[in-house]
Amino acid sequence: MSPAHEPFDELVAGHVLDALEGEDASRFAAHLAGGCAACERAVIDYQEALARAAAAVREARVGWALAWTASMALAAGIAAVVSGSWVRARLDQLAGEAAGLRAELAAQVQTVSELRRKLDEQEKTLTLVKAQAAEQERTLALLGDPETRLVSLAGLAPRPQAQGRIIWNARAGGLLVAADLPPPPAGKVYELWAIAGGEPLPAGLFTVDAEGKASLAVAPLAGVATVDVFAVTLEPAGGVQSPTGAMYLASKKA
């Protein structure tokens, strides 16, 4: 190239990049329009070089984007795995804690049930003790009353060894205790009778324990001031208004 052409060599790159302005742009455009083969070739070479550079940049950008996307996906996958493992571990821990709490609650329920059972037993015992204490107080009160009398009942033919005692007070009632009576058959019960003026009056129903012992609180008999004889017969369950069964105990006529 001649020294005169060198300025145009320097303007080729600016033309291709569309960076020429003013006089330089006009001069190079006129020169190129004049048919300078060297500049035309140089423009083409620059354009091809720029195209290759742009393609390389695009490929580099796409590769970087793909790499970034892949790395983000991998990071997300790792996070998901780690998070899932943590969640599963936490759920397992919570399940274990729940099982422990259920076991502890079951033990506490068992303890409460046992305490309630013991309390029920103690309440029953207390009720029995109170009843016995009340009966003893009543007996002591009866025994302390000058009008109270002690009546013995002897065993008769069905059970000669049977025996009984009744503490009797016409105003306050009384208390019968019996021993050595056989357990009544099914559908049967012992009934106490107070015979006054030749008329038997029902005075209460009772049964016996395994040892043949029994006790019965007897209420006062309305309108009866004196009882001539006390007797015990075996009657249908529920009792009757007049004796129908065998007589097991009887007192002597007063």
Side-chain angles (χ1 to χ4, degrees):
M1 289 292 174
S2 64
H5 193 269
E6 288 182 1
F8 294 107
D9 293 336
E10 297 175 357
L11 296 176
V12 172
H15 173 76
V16 173
L17 294 175
D18 198 21
L20 296 179
E21 296 180 353
E23 184 179 351
D24 288 339
S26 299
R27 284 176 58 205
F28 189 80
H31 175 73
L32 193 63
C36 177
C39 286
E40 290 179 355
R41 181 71 257 172
V43 167
I44 293 173
D45 290 341
Y46 270 108
Q47 289 176 339
E48 290 178 351
L50 286 176
R52 288 193 298 272
V57 169
R58 284 196 298 273
E59 290 178 0
R61 287 179 177 176
V62 170
W64 178 86
L66 290 175
W68 183 85
T69 301
S71 65
M72 290 300 100
L74 178 59
I78 293 173
V81 171
V82 172
S83 176
S85 299
W86 181 87
V87 169
R88 285 193 297 272
R90 181 56 177 160
L91 289 176
D92 291 342
Q93 180 183 359
L94 291 176
E97 292 176 357
L101 289 175
R102 284 196 298 270
E104 182 179 351
L105 179 59
Q108 291 178 353
V109 169
Q110 180 65 28
T111 301
V112 170
S113 298
E114 182 64 19
L115 290 174
R116 184 177 291 112
R117 184 187 64 79
K118 291 181 178 180
L119 179 60
D120 290 341
E121 291 179 355
Q122 291 176 353
E123 287 180 349
K124 290 178 181 178
T125 301
L126 180 59
T127 299
L128 179 60
V129 169
K130 287 182 177 179
Q132 292 174 345
E135 183 176 317
Q136 290 175 356
E137 289 180 2
R138 181 170 181 268
T139 300
L140 291 174
L142 286 172
L143 292 173
D145 191 327
E147 297 182 4
T148 299
R149 62 191 181 96
L150 181 61
V151 181
S152 297
L153 288 79
L156 301 178
R159 190 75 167 183
Q161 67 269 38
Q163 55 183 326
R165 299 284 188 278
I166 183 168
I167 302 170
W168 179 248
N169 184 297
R171 178 178 52 81
L175 176 67
L176 168 71
V177 291
D180 290 328
L181 283 171
K188 295 289 186 177
V189 69
Y190 288 110
E191 187 162 4
L192 174 66
W193 301 94
I195 302 172
E199 181 182 359
L201 302 173
L205 305 174
F206 66 94
T207 187
V208 299
D209 61 18
E211 297 179 353
K213 297 179 180 180
S215 64
L216 173 67
V218 184
L221 301 172
V224 177
T226 302
V227 175
D228 300 323
V229 174
F230 287 100
V232 174
T233 61
L234 187 63
E235 303 294 347
V240 293
Q241 293 303 307
S242 297
T244 61
M247 187 175 293
Y248 280 72
L249 292 169
S251 66
K252 294 181 179 180
K253 188 174 181 179

